[in-house]
Amino acid sequence: MTAPENNTAPNNESEPLNEKNLPSAFDIVLYSATLTKRYASDAYGFTAYLLLPLILSIGVQGIPGTLGLAAQSTVSVLFIAMSCWAAAAISTLISLKTAHPKKDHDPRSIGTHAASVLGALLFATLLSGVIQAAGYFLFIIPGIIATILFTFTLEEVVLRGHGPISALAASKTRVQHQIAAVGWRLFAIVAAFLVVYFALGAAVLFFGAFVTGVSPTALAIGRTPLWLDAVLVVLQIALLPPVVIAHTVLYLSTSPAVE
């Protein structure tokens, strides 16, 4: 199963969008919020699986010594893998729904497709992360450029069926002729969701301070209670669908470079 690519989101124009008529970051976030609400049951159905590694991470907290570190590391790897699977499933869902909004799509088939590309996605994500880390280590600017160029690696693997290396190349080809247009939209979208996360996180922190009788500053700087850590992770999980949807909408709104 390869999800069909739709180059017309978030508007209804029939021709692919280009650098000059890409939707604004505000339009992308607004449209993504609409899609998140419209397909919340499916999107959060995929995301709910991330509660499993969260529960496991709480369960292994009391294991001492090397065994405890190994258990925590295993749970962390599981969380990363399941996050990639959920992101792949949500991206596939949005691609299918925007291309065929009146057609019913089986969530089990979408989940199976996400599982089938998970290995390639994890490897591509690792390669992209290594390249970006090297770029940030080398004067930051190369890292920013790499982040923008390889931002669509997930969609190229999940929606186009590329392998890890060809996905990086395809993302670079797609972005390089519109790097400024894609770049500022990407960072504006990330900034918007960071504002939401920190606002909600601050509310959770103040609530935790009220419950525990400890100042918010002490909670933030000191050792955060386990239950408060869990609530903050749940908040991150809750924001995963709109973030992935916004990123997929940005991808679908761009057109591949013509060589």
Side-chain angles (χ1 to χ4, degrees), residues 29-30 38 57 105 115 119 150 155 176 180 195 204 208 232 237 241 252:
V29 171
L30 184 62
R38 185 177 301 166
S57 69
H105 302 282
F150 300 135
E155 287 83 2
Q176 62 185 353
V195 168
V204 170
L232 292 175
I237 292 174
L252 297 175

Side-chain angles (χ1 to χ4, degrees), residues 60-238:
V60 301
Q61 289 293 322
I63 301 177
T66 303
L67 181 60
L69 291 176
Q72 292 175 24
S73 299
T74 301
V75 171
S76 297
V77 171
L78 177 63
F79 186 84
I80 293 172
M82 294 192 69
S83 296
C84 287
W85 174 83
I90 294 169
S91 184
T92 303
L93 171 72
I94 295 306
S95 178
L96 291 171
K97 290 295 188 181
T98 54
H100 308 287
K102 296 183 180 180
K103 185 177 179 180
D104 291 331
H105 302 282
D106 184 9
R108 290 173 297 181
S109 296
I110 294 175
T112 300
H113 170 66
S116 70
V117 300
L118 182 58
L121 178 58
L122 288 171
F123 188 31
T125 302
L126 177 62
L127 288 176
S128 176
V130 169
I131 294 172
Q132 291 177 51
Y136 283 109
F137 183 75
L138 298 173
F139 310 115
I140 300 179
I141 298 300
I144 295 175
I145 295 174
T147 297
I148 299 171
L149 288 177
F150 300 135
T151 187
F152 295 139
T153 299
L154 180 145
E155 287 83 2
E156 294 295 347
V157 171
V158 175
L159 305 183
R160 300 290 298 278
H162 285 289
I165 296 177
S166 62
L168 295 176
S171 178
K172 176 178 176 292
T173 299
R174 193 180 190 97
V175 173
Q176 62 185 353
H177 297 299
Q178 46 190 343
I179 187 169
V182 171
W184 82 259
R185 285 168 174 80
L186 175 66
F187 288 114
I189 291 169
V190 171
F193 283 108
L194 283 177
V195 168
V196 173
Y197 173 73
F198 283 119
L200 294 176
V204 170
L205 195 63
F206 278 103
F207 175 76
F210 174 78
V211 170
T212 61
V214 180
S215 70
T217 302
L219 274 181
I221 298 176
R223 184 174 178 82
T224 308
L226 183 59
W227 68 267
L228 189 55
D229 276 335
V231 172
L232 292 175
V233 173
V234 170
L235 177 58
Q236 295 171 20
I237 292 174

